[in-house]
Amino acid sequence: MNALFSAFGVDWRLLLAQTVNFGVVLVALWYFLYKPVMQVLEKRRSIVTQGVEDAKRAAEKLAGADEAAAKRVVEAETEAEEIVKTARTAASLDRSRMLAEAEERSAQIVTDADLRAAELAERVRRESEKDVARLALLAASKLMKERHE
Amino acid sequence: MGSGISVVLKAQTLGTLWGFPITNSLVMTWGVMTLLIGLAFFFSRSLKLVPGKLQAGIEYVIEFVLDYMADTLESEELARRFFPLVATIFLFIALVNELEFFPGVDSIGFLHLGSVTPLLRTPTTDLNFTLALAFISFFTIEITGIAMLGFSKHASKYVNVKSLTGFFVGLIEFISNLGRLISFSFRLFGNIFAGEVMVLVAGYFLPYFLPAPLMGFEMFVGFIQALVFAMLTLFFIKLAIMDPAEAH
């Protein structure tokens, strides 16, 4: 066995040295290559995962926003319908009020006209009576004058 | 050429430091370590959340390997835990093997007693390097088995006295597990060393035509061997964490 080891130059000190050399390379590569690359890969993986989660949340938010917008539109439509209805009711009330007022005013005008007509007729009647009385007096005086003559 | 082909089976010692032998394969190991750590350092400094082409490519490969490991081990947590080990085995061996024919490797050295001692030698052509990796892989597999199943359950894979067949199966399992040390180390060492020798021989016979395509092929073999070492470690980890009843 010793002859074999000697032929191949196997020496426990060199074996140990090469083992240590490999250990040094292993530690150095772990520190300078594997660890940083793994960290970068892990960091990128977490960023991608975060991005996917963010996109999912944004999509959910967008869906929520659409829903809210649709709700707001429905609310606005209902409100608008309510306003139109209120306006129509108010306009209807105004028209009725104005009609009533107009009717009242026309009735008032008619009443005033009737009163004035009655007054005028009364005055005319009174003046006619005066004229008839004066004519009667005049005729009476004329008759009396003729008898005397 | 006149001196023939010189093939040295073991790494040559360039000198000693406090009695510790500094071999040419050890020097190249340090060079490759510096290169690999430097590349990783500069890459980590340029990491961005929005990646460039290079970063995206590396991230894709890492994620692909992680997914494959998670499928094999049937656990994402285990895949993340063993990824650094498996990936480092692959990267280290692959880079070492790909630099096998880099100018200067095995060609620049010191003239010593009439022969050249190269300054750099591919570490995978030194059994100390491949055996060290085999030990790391072996102990990782065994310790993982004990940690996941418990000592007695893990040991029951090797020591089974319930039946004669079970006893022999356990014995074979034990021997084959020990054999992994040899298969892991010699497979890598043999493939890369044989490739170097083949290129050397080809250069001796057909120096202008054969070595370049063979070098390309050997670089491919180097990549495959790195992949084989890393994947076998992964598969044996999977076998180690499986329940003995399930494993057979």
Side-chain angles (χ1 to χ4, degrees), chain B residues 4-246:
Chain B
I5 299 169
S6 167
V7 175
V8 185
L9 199 58
K10 58 183 179 184
Q12 290 119 305
T13 306
L14 301 172
T16 53
L17 190 70
W18 299 303
F20 185 85
I22 308 294
T23 61
N24 45 12
S25 77
L26 199 58
V27 173
M28 187 161 165
T29 306
W30 290 333
V32 174
M33 281 170 68
T34 310
L35 183 65
L36 199 55
I37 294 168
L39 286 173
F41 175 72
F42 287 111
F43 177 73
S44 73
R45 282 179 61 141
S46 65
L47 275 177
K48 290 184 186 82
L49 207 56
V50 180
K53 281 180 185 172
L54 177 72
Q55 189 186 328
I58 290 171
E59 281 178 9
Y60 174 78
V61 171
I62 287 176
E63 285 200 292
F64 176 79
V65 174
L66 266 173
D67 284 347
Y68 181 77
M69 285 182 69
D71 281 348
T72 306
L73 298 173
E74 294 171 44
S75 159
E76 272 190 32
E77 195 204 331
L78 282 177
R80 281 179 179 274
R81 197 183 294 171
F82 287 109
F83 174 77
L85 177 83
V86 174
T88 306
I89 286 174
F90 172 76
L91 286 176
F92 202 16
I93 297 174
L95 191 62
V96 161
N97 289 348
E98 295 313 306
L99 292 175
E100 185 185 3
F101 299 110
F102 200 74
V105 177
D106 268 326
S107 55
I108 297 173
F110 307 103
L111 197 61
H112 181 66
L113 297 171
S115 64
V116 176
T117 304
L119 179 65
L120 301 170
R121 178 188 170 110
T122 313
T124 40
T125 61
D126 175 8
L127 198 61
N128 286 302
F129 180 82
T130 59
L131 199 55
L133 290 183
F135 270 118
I136 289 165
S137 184
F138 176 82
F139 282 114
T140 304
I141 292 161
E142 297 307 316
I143 291 167
T144 304
I146 292 168
M148 297 294 287
L149 300 176
F151 181 78
S152 56
K153 207 169 190 179
H154 184 68
S156 72
K157 286 180 181 176
Y158 310 120
V159 184
N160 186 351
V161 287
K162 285 177 187 165
S163 67
L164 193 64
T165 317
F167 176 76
F168 278 109
V169 167
L171 194 64
I172 291 166
E173 185 80 9
F174 182 71
I175 293 166
S176 73
N177 267 24
L178 280 181
R180 278 178 198 163
L181 275 174
I182 299 165
S183 66
F184 261 131
S185 55
F186 274 90
R187 183 189 302 109
L188 182 58
F189 169 79
N191 270 286
I192 306 305
F193 186 76
E196 268 194 5
V197 173
M198 188 168 66
V199 170
L200 203 65
V201 172
Y204 189 74
F205 287 112
L206 268 171
Y208 298 109
F209 306 103
L210 210 48
L214 278 179
M215 281 177 188
F217 176 69
E218 280 309 314
M219 285 176 81
F220 172 70
V221 169
F223 175 83
I224 294 295
Q225 284 306 315
L227 200 63
V228 165
F229 205 111
M231 288 185 79
L232 282 177
T233 304
L234 173 67
F235 296 147
F236 289 140
I237 287 172
K238 169 65 183 166
L239 283 177
I241 60 173
M242 277 171 77
D243 197 82
E246 235 180 292

Side-chain angles (χ1 to χ4, degrees), chain A residues 6-11 13-15 17-19 21-22 25-26 28-29 32-34 36-38 40 44-45 47, chain B residues 10 19-21 29-30 33 40-41 43-44 47 49 51 59 63 66 80 83-84 87-89 128 132-133 136 189:
Chain A
S6 175
F8 284 102
V10 176
D11 184 331
R13 291 170 300 177
L14 291 170
L15 267 175
Q18 294 289 23
T19 309
N21 287 342
F22 181 82
V25 173
L26 177 66
L29 290 188
F32 290 126
L33 185 66
Y34 311 134
V37 172
M38 295 286 193
V40 166
R44 196 178 300 135
R45 195 170 292 138
I47 287 171
Chain B
K10 58 183 179 184
F20 185 85
T29 306
W30 290 333
M33 281 170 68
F41 175 72
F43 177 73
S44 73
L47 275 177
L49 207 56
E59 281 178 9
E63 285 200 292
L66 266 173
R80 281 179 179 274
F83 174 77
T88 306
I89 286 174
N128 286 302
L133 290 183
I136 289 165
F189 169 79

